Amino acid sequence: MQTHQYLFIGTGAVIAAIGLWYYLTLPRLRAAHAADIASRELITGEVVDYEFDSEDNKYTRLIEYEVNGHRYRMRGREAVPAKGKPLAPVRLAYKRDKRSDAIEVERDFSGDTRFAKGSIVIGVVFILLGVFG
């Protein structure tokens, strides 16, 4: 085998190992998110505005919620490709002792799953290129 083949195999093994590790970690991330939600108070907020990010051409939602007469504002966790409906409801959970610390209840882990599986596939392709290239 030539040097470049070893480099492809080694690089592929590292990429695939990172993807596999992340894929195996996803259930723990989901469980941690669920436990975090369970330790908080649930409330409904609403999207009041969108901020445009010119670097990735996406929007960040600005969400407001009210607790005991005080209004709080937070940024949405994930960027969205287009503006949605104003005053759209969003389920949130805030800490009992720090009401300004809220997180979104619904979290989409599908991007994380795609990243992990994609890394595994790319790693395997590199390994195969090293073996047969």
Side-chain angles (χ1 to χ4, degrees), residues 6-79:
Y6 287 114
L7 289 174
F8 271 95
I9 292 170
T11 303
V14 168
I15 293 171
I18 290 170
L20 181 62
W21 171 80
Y22 196 68
Y23 185 75
L24 295 174
T25 304
L26 283 173
R28 194 172 13 178
L29 291 175
R30 287 185 183 100
H33 181 70
D36 194 15
I37 295 297
S39 71
R40 296 171 178 250
E41 292 289 326
L42 296 176
I43 193 166
T44 301
E46 56 189 25
V47 177
V48 293
D49 201 5
Y50 290 85
E51 287 182 353
F52 181 71
D53 184 5
S54 59
E55 290 183 19
D56 60 0
N57 291 329
K58 291 189 176 185
Y59 294 89
T60 301
R61 298 173 298 153
L62 297 177
I63 302 167
E64 283 189 1
Y65 61 100
E66 186 174 333
V67 179
N68 295 337
H70 291 84
R71 291 197 63 81
Y72 300 95
R73 182 177 276 210
M74 63 176 276
R75 295 170 56 93
R77 184 182 191 292
E78 297 175 7

Side-chain angles (χ1 to χ4, degrees), residues 97-116:
D97 57 340
K98 188 176 180 187
R99 297 178 182 136
S100 62
D101 183 6
I103 60 173
E104 294 179 61
V105 172
E106 286 85 19
R107 178 163 176 217
D108 184 14
F109 287 95
S110 64
D112 297 331
T113 304
R114 281 193 305 270
F115 168 77

